[in-house]
Amino acid sequence: MPSLSFRQPGKNRQRTVSLYKRMTSIGRGEENDVSIKDPAMGEHHAMIHFDGQSFYLQAVNRRCEIRVNGKKTRKQALSHRDEIVMGETTISFQLYEEPRQSPSSGEDENQDSLAALRRLVDFSQKLMRNNDIPALLEALMDEIISQTGADKGMLVLLESGQLQVRVARNLKRENIIDAVSQLSDSIINKVVKTKKPVIVSDALHDQEFNASQSVVNLNLCSVMCVPLMDRGSLLGLIYVGNDNIVNLFTRQHLEILTVFAAQASLLIANAMMINGLETDNRQLNEKIARLRYGSIIGASAAMKDIYRKIDKVANTDVSVLIQGETGTGKELIARELHNRSHRSKGPFITINCGAIPENLLESELFGHVRGAFTGATSNKPGKFHLADKGTIFLDELGEMPLNLQVKLLRVLQERTVTRVGDTRSEHIDIRVLAATNRLLDEEVRNNNFREDLFYRLNVVTLHLPGLRDRGDDVILISNYLLSRYCEEFSTGDKTFSKDATVAMKKYAWPGNIRQLENRIKKAVILSDKVVIEANDLDLQPEDLEEIMTLSEAKERFQRRYINEVLARNNGNRTKTARDLGVDPRTIFRHLEKEAARDDT
């Protein structure tokens, strides 16, 4: 690109100024295009005029002396490497940039290219520190204009099949108001059609474009236009131009522009993805709101059946036993029963019967009086006292020792509590909800749980399904947890990949919702990616439950069901066959297969 190189008087550092305008003023005044702090130079000393073919140097008046290659002149056409003296300053005119060879390596290196690469690295570092996409795109366009010597640049995006100017900047780093009117339709259409960059050195004399109305009307000179691509799709284009200088842009400029266009494509694709994530999250939150049951998320048939039962029993005082595997959300169900009852304004007290040592559990449940045991320095109410006029939730009830089960039964029957070390009973007004991951009817048969207490608590039983039996609820809950933890840890919006979604649905989730919650929390914290993959959730192919064929599933169900009916009939094969409506020989064949499996 044409330029002037000089040293300010008293300065060691050389300064280079590119010539990109038709008229370039030179002098010691600040308002000049090239301001040189030389006292011997006039306020406005000279002008360089470009007529589209050549550069002419001319003194402003007779008092402004100019020497070109040692000869005094008032006006002269400039040639490459001409030496100009104004005042006490020597200026070198460069018509084009010259490549330089490194004496140590012998390789061609262009210092301007190195500087451009450094600026590109600097800009890339800005990208990593800044999330303001519009500001980054403006900065990107300013850098492109600076690198190429253009006097204007536009970022045009393809939106709903229409081209829209989203960023338009000029040489002064200002926004261009009437950007659309300064674009050449014919040049843009070619880039959109071919998806390849175009460089036009002299538009008015270019055989392909000189007949274009937009080129003629705009009086175009030098233009470059490159497409913005994302995985083969056209996002838009970058258009830069200079209406004063022909033959301004070189292949090197086009390469620089192409690199910056790649940066712009990443920015735009990222912005589109973020916008898409925000839209998806908004729609997801609306969907979750529709499918929520209080604080519970789920819309599977099994959960809808639970909701119907809650609606029927919530406003009564009957005891409810909530059964389900660890991590299925038994406490959430208990809270929902409380919140929908007439006791909702009263306390909701929770106690984990399996987490408190046996010698302390009685005091925690029923309270104690001063001196009841070593360390009892004052009267203390128990959880039953604290739950008065409200609800007490006995979690992990199956872990309660037998001696305390007797006292709990008395509390449920009489609605009175006696503190440890006291002889007086206190009346309480409570509702009791209990939960366990054990099968209490089996515990009763094994003499690990009192039968009378079981029937007292088991007025209504809610069986919570495992996460693996809740169908698409796993995805609904996963997306809710992902949104929640992204907000909590300020990581920005994230999403699950398709493979991660499939893996979550195939995995058995033995720890249920609690396990899912921990995996997602870990992935949000540790993953630097916007898209969370299956391995971020520690879901490996070998961990996923294999999908059986329909015949295999039928066979497995049939085996299990026959064994269950046999157990209920105490092994009576004839009665089992009659109950199942099959020939007795079917049961005999089944038992033979079972025996063969046991032998292997």
Side-chain angles (χ1 to χ4, degrees), residues 338-406:
H338 171 75
N339 292 337
R340 291 173 183 267
S341 74
H342 63 276
R343 296 178 179 270
S344 59
K345 294 183 179 179
F348 178 82
I349 303 299
T350 299
I351 183 167
N352 189 326
C353 300
I356 301 173
E358 183 178 344
N359 60 330
L360 297 178
L361 182 57
E362 183 178 2
S363 173
E364 285 294 317
L365 285 170
F366 310 126
H368 62 258
V369 296
R370 181 180 179 183
F373 50 82
T374 303
T377 57
S378 62
N379 293 342
K380 178 187 174 184
K383 298 293 187 182
F384 277 88
H385 294 93
L386 298 176
D388 191 39
K389 301 292 190 299
T391 304
I392 187 167
F393 174 54
L394 304 174
D395 198 9
E396 302 301 344
L397 181 69
E399 308 296 329
M400 181 178 286
L402 284 168
N403 64 314
L404 284 182
Q405 292 179 26
V406 176

Side-chain angles (χ1 to χ4, degrees), residues 69 99 145 148 210 219 296 325 382 388 459 482 542 556 588:
N69 300 325
I145 292 171
T148 60
N210 60 5
N219 197 29
I296 306 167
E325 299 172 7
D388 191 39
V459 178
L482 180 64
E542 60 270 18
R556 182 173 296 187
F588 283 104

Side-chain angles (χ1 to χ4, degrees), residues 17 78 118 367 475 545:
V17 178
L78 295 175
R118 291 191 190 99
I475 304 304
E545 192 173 275

Side-chain angles (χ1 to χ4, degrees), residues 277 280-281 284 474-483 485-486 493-504 509 516 519-521 523-524 529-534 536-537 539:
L277 283 177
D280 290 345
N281 281 338
L284 175 65
V474 64
I475 304 304
L476 196 64
I477 296 169
S478 298
N479 283 313
Y480 165 75
L481 292 172
L482 180 64
S483 175
Y485 288 129
C486 285
D493 291 330
K494 293 178 184 284
T495 189
F496 293 112
S497 70
K498 289 184 179 179
D499 289 343
T501 300
V502 171
M504 284 190 290
W509 296 110
L516 175 67
R519 294 279 182 92
I520 292 174
K521 186 185 294 185
V524 169
K529 299 173 292 185
V530 173
V531 179
I532 291 178
E533 302 289 349
D536 295 320
L537 298 167
L539 297 179

Side-chain angles (χ1 to χ4, degrees), residues 215-234:
V215 169
V216 174
N217 291 342
L218 293 171
N219 197 29
L220 296 181
C221 289
S222 300
V223 176
M224 280 193 300
C225 190
V226 297
L228 301 174
M229 307 295 295
D230 178 44
R231 289 169 290 187
S233 298
L234 182 70

